[in-house]
Amino acid sequence: MSGKTNKVVVITGGSSGIGKAFAKAYNAKGHQVIACGRDQEKLKKLEVDIAGVDTFQCDVTDNASLQAFLSYIDQKYPQVDILISNAGRLDRVNFANDDLSQFDASSQINLNLTSSINVVAAFLPQLKKAAQGNIVLVSSGFGLSPAGYAPLYSAAKAGIHSFAKALRYQLKDAGIAVTEVIPPLVDTPATAQRTEAKVSAESVVTETLKAIAKGKPEALVGQTKFLPTIMRLVPRTAEKLVFSS
Ligand SMILES: NC(=O)c1ccc[n+]([C@@H]2O[C@H](COP(=O)([O-])OP(=O)(O)OC[C@H]3O[C@@H](n4cnc5c(N)ncnc54)[C@H](OP(=O)(O)O)[C@@H]3O)[C@@H](O)[C@H]2O)c1
């Protein structure tokens, strides 16, 4: 990040969990945060919880809604310095046992992969106006190796992993850095029912800010720090471990 203050930071899914932790951290640094989400009540609460945060109701899977968010930003802010594409949700599905007669993969793939790519494409012109832009894509350890209970989510996040790499190469001469955030299980409202060990949303933000400051392409958090090495040394063991996590 450059020394310029008062950056404009756009966060999709900024009203809860990891997105809200990003909003808090960038707001505390004196930057202007604009967060979106679908639920207006959650956005209102965010504005109360973090004074100075601007919000806009937007469903990132709906192109008209995304374009309305873009117009709002375009009219109110001169450029976007940091885009955090974070909105996402894990749905469980079991191809061996579930009734798949009404099955449709598009909702999981749209939210966790397609919409994230659309968000990047939509905000690129604003990011190009910034002196030094940064795109942060929130992926998952399951994008490196799939979870047994979430094959679609894992496939979508693996898509983000691949997209982040390609995007980084394409944007390297445009002055826009691409940082992929690869968390393990994180303590957020989305994982409230999970009893396993979780890292905090704040630690995800801390590791991401460190990665951005050092110009690292990926922010590996908690157990995912070891995942690439384990996958290289003992790939089948790593796969089994993550699959049954
Ligand atoms: N928690 C974990 O263990 C974990 C681990 C690895 C990666 N991740 C990733 O981290 C990201 C954030 O997860 P989280 O755990 O912080 O979830 P969370 O607490 O449920 O927050 C999700 C945020 O996304 C928003 N959102 C959901 N669907 C949206 C849509 N269609 N359009 C716009 N906003 C939408 C939600 O607001 P509304 O519901 O109001 O729209 C909310 O603000 C996700 O991409 C997730 O896959 C999470």
Side-chain angles (χ1 to χ4, degrees), residues 12-19 36-40 42 58-61 85-90 111-112 138-141 153 157 183-191:
T12 69
S15 60
S16 174
I18 295 169
C36 84
R38 294 162 305 171
D39 184 337
Q40 190 66 54
K42 280 203 264 179
C58 168
D59 179 345
V60 290
T61 64
S85 179
N86 162 78
R89 183 191 68 248
L90 181 154
L111 176 58
N112 294 304
V138 179
S139 134
S140 163
Y153 174 85
K157 293 295 191 182
L185 191 64
V186 187
D187 191 8
T188 72
T191 62

Side-chain angles (χ1 to χ4, degrees), residues 8-213:
V8 175
V9 184
V10 170
I11 307 174
T12 69
S15 60
S16 174
I18 295 169
K20 187 169 181 177
F22 271 118
K24 211 174 270 177
Y26 277 113
N27 178 268
K29 282 173 176 286
H31 301 321
Q32 176 61 60
V33 172
I34 308 104
C36 84
R38 294 162 305 171
D39 184 337
Q40 190 66 54
E41 291 308 310
K42 280 203 264 179
L43 293 171
K44 284 213 167 11
K45 182 170 183 334
L46 182 74
E47 288 184 2
V48 170
D49 290 351
I50 312 174
V53 168
D54 191 4
T55 65
F56 191 89
Q57 188 177 26
C58 168
D59 179 345
V60 290
T61 64
D62 177 333
N63 272 335
S65 183
L66 180 58
Q67 287 308 315
F69 183 34
L70 186 62
S71 299
Y72 177 76
I73 300 276
D74 216 11
Q75 282 164 25
K76 209 166 161 188
Y77 300 98
Q79 83 278 320
V80 173
D81 298 277
I82 301 169
L83 170 68
I84 304 178
S85 179
N86 162 78
R89 183 191 68 248
L90 181 154
D91 288 346
R92 291 172 180 249
V93 62
N94 186 328
F95 282 76
N97 303 325
D98 289 356
D99 172 10
L100 301 174
S101 55
Q102 304 296 317
F103 178 76
D104 182 0
S106 51
S107 133
Q108 268 291 272
I109 302 296
N110 280 350
L111 176 58
N112 294 304
L113 176 61
T114 314
S115 75
S116 205
I117 297 170
N118 286 342
V119 163
V120 168
F123 283 97
L124 257 182
Q126 273 80 354
L127 283 156
K128 283 180 179 166
K129 291 187 212 159
Q132 203 184 349
N134 204 145
I135 295 171
V136 177
L137 296 167
V138 179
S139 134
S140 163
F142 295 152
L144 303 184
S145 194
Y149 55 82
L152 278 189
Y153 174 85
S154 302
K157 293 295 191 182
I160 292 291
H161 182 56
S162 180
F163 174 64
K165 285 189 184 193
L167 190 67
R168 189 172 300 121
Y169 281 113
Q170 288 196 340
L171 297 182
K172 76 175 177 353
D173 296 330
I176 301 173
V178 177
T179 312
E180 183 187 359
V181 184
I182 309 180
L185 191 64
V186 187
D187 191 8
T188 72
T191 62
Q193 309 303 321
R194 303 283 299 265
T195 53
E196 303 96 312
K198 303 172 200 171
V199 302
S200 68
E202 289 71 26
S203 71
V204 176
V205 173
T206 302
E207 292 301 327
T208 305
L209 297 186
K210 273 194 219 161
I212 292 173

